[in-house]
Amino acid sequence: MIQAAKHEKVLVRVRINGKLYEEEVEPRRLLSDFLREDCGLTGTHVGCEHGVCGACTVRVNGAAVRSCLMFAVQAADAEITTVEGLAHHGSRHPLQDALSECHGLQCGFCTPGILMSAAEFLEEHQDPTTEQIEEMLSGHLCRCTGYKGIVEAIAKVAKEQKDR
């Protein structure tokens, strides 16, 4: 819900990782800044601030979006999942384990955004090809790993989900 609190600030109510947040923000406050600075959810990284690198990817109402391209007021009344909300009941998401096992991690800066996009991708693609995984990853810049381990990790989780 959006309510005008003052001329320069707007009250934004949003549910993030299952918790309700209510904050007064300037209308031009980016969602990435809102998450990091107002909500203390620093797992969402900000890299290019142009939507190119994908580090700031979160899920808004289930869809992966670049939080540096969205205003916090646009997310009012939405359900947001950040990388902090990816784990369930104290257990890491299978993608988090697979990235570690397949050596898809190095500096980790790009990892939160990749995790958020890959989680959405695997919900929509139960048996993805390597080409489909690479296409999804084309929206993310990783300067450390060369993508091989990341592709292997996503394929591993897809196979495990399919075999269940």
Side-chain angles (χ1 to χ4, degrees):
M1 173 181 225
I2 300 174
Q3 295 178 341
K6 299 178 193 172
H7 292 308
E8 64 276 348
K9 297 228 177 172
V10 175
L11 179 65
V12 174
R13 288 188 186 107
V14 62
R15 188 166 298 281
I16 307 170
N17 304 327
K19 180 181 174 188
L20 183 64
Y21 288 81
E22 294 182 347
E23 300 289 336
E24 286 188 359
V25 298
E26 293 179 10
R28 296 187 53 81
R29 183 112 171 120
L30 294 175
L31 179 57
S32 56
D33 294 333
F34 175 77
L35 293 170
R36 290 181 59 78
E37 297 168 19
D38 299 317
C39 301
L41 299 167
T42 57
T44 300
H45 295 163
V46 179
C48 68
E49 298 184 84
H50 296 286
V52 175
C53 74
C56 69
T57 303
V58 298
R59 294 183 73 181
V60 177
N61 294 329
V65 300
R66 303 293 204 254
S67 64
C68 75
L69 296 179
M70 186 174 189
F71 294 119
V73 296
Q74 291 175 291
D77 295 323
E79 290 278 340
I80 297 175
T81 305
T82 67
V83 72
E84 291 93 343
L86 200 56
H88 292 290
H89 306 1
S91 297
R92 292 189 307 186
H93 189 281
L95 282 166
Q96 292 170 306
D97 289 331
L99 278 172
S100 178
E101 292 165 14
C102 296
H103 307 287
L105 300 168
Q106 283 190 19
C107 84
F109 191 82
C110 65
T111 305
I114 289 173
L115 284 167
M116 300 313 294
S117 290
E120 177 193 41
F121 174 79
L122 289 176
E123 288 174 11
E124 298 171 358
H125 299 83
Q126 278 68 47
D127 192 18
T129 65
T130 299
E131 291 76 24
Q132 288 173 316
I133 294 170
E134 289 172 348
E135 175 67 25
M136 182 275 299
L137 285 173
S138 70
H140 292 273
L141 298 178
C142 176
R143 294 183 174 110
C144 299
T145 67
Y147 300 94
K148 183 179 184 296
I150 298 169
V151 171
E152 289 173 359
I154 295 168
K156 179 183 190 307
V157 173
K159 183 179 181 332
E160 289 171 355
Q161 289 178 350
K162 183 181 171 192
D163 291 346
R164 273 191 229 144

